[in-house]
Amino acid sequence: PLYAKGAGVAVASGSLADALLHPQVIVCLVPAFSIIRLALIGTGVLPSKNTLRAVSRSGDRTELLRGPLFYSVCLAVLAGVFWRESPTALVAMSVLCIGDGLADVVGRRLGKGNPLPFNRNKSYAGSIAMMLGAFLGSLAFAYVFVKACGIGIWTGAPGDGILDFAVKSLAICATSALVEALPINAIIDDNISVPVVAIFMSRLCFGR
């Protein structure tokens, strides 16, 4: 839920910033604020039990300086580099902010009794929720930009190539959900592995 709100604010900021001189700078302010806040809390400069409880899995404040901080940096990169210029930002941000959050929430509530065969700590319910949530989120984000801003997300003209966009988005979301479920996340924080794969797959599929 926390990341989903961040995505919504970022998309709204992008729409609002459309008429401004430097829209990328405006949109980057959202994840930039998160980066600064996580750094301050992680180093102990700014105590915040609520943030620590919401973001940290172990309760150790220094954990915020690893996965969560990298996660926010990825959002800043997506907003600053790809915003409005490529579907990469919309799809990858949907994976990170909506899909990844749903995987945890749905997995905890509905994942008992349906573990994945290659990782008993993950469930079909969580992985499917991540894939579908991220996919539907990417379509919703794209719709906002096409309708509200008149920006051609698909191929340069609003409405063109929507099926191609949907197929590629689904492939990106499915691959990201698979990576999130792999046992390697016991070694590599999924706040690092998922963003990297989401951005890589988006660039690979859309080529821009």
Side-chain angles (χ1 to χ4, degrees), residues 125-203:
S127 294
I128 292 174
M130 177 176 178
M131 180 183 70
L132 293 181
F135 174 62
L136 294 176
S138 66
L139 294 181
F141 286 172
Y143 178 84
V144 169
F145 268 72
V146 170
K147 294 298 183 180
C149 306
I151 300 171
I153 296 298
W154 332 115
T155 59
D160 285 352
I162 186 171
L163 180 60
D164 180 68
F165 173 83
V167 170
K168 290 178 178 177
S169 295
L170 184 59
I172 295 165
C173 295
T175 303
S176 300
L178 175 62
V179 170
E180 193 274 340
L182 292 176
I184 61 168
N185 289 315
I187 303 173
I188 303 175
D189 193 317
D190 60 6
N191 281 320
I192 296 176
S193 60
V194 172
V196 169
V197 169
I199 294 173
F200 173 77
M201 283 296 298
S202 296
R203 294 289 290 170

Side-chain angles (χ1 to χ4, degrees), residues 74-98:
C74 284
L75 292 182
V77 171
L78 287 170
V81 178
F82 302 114
W83 204 253
R84 296 179 57 202
E85 305 297 329
S86 165
T88 292
L90 296 180
V91 180
M93 189 173 290
S94 181
V95 169
L96 306 185
C97 297
I98 299 177

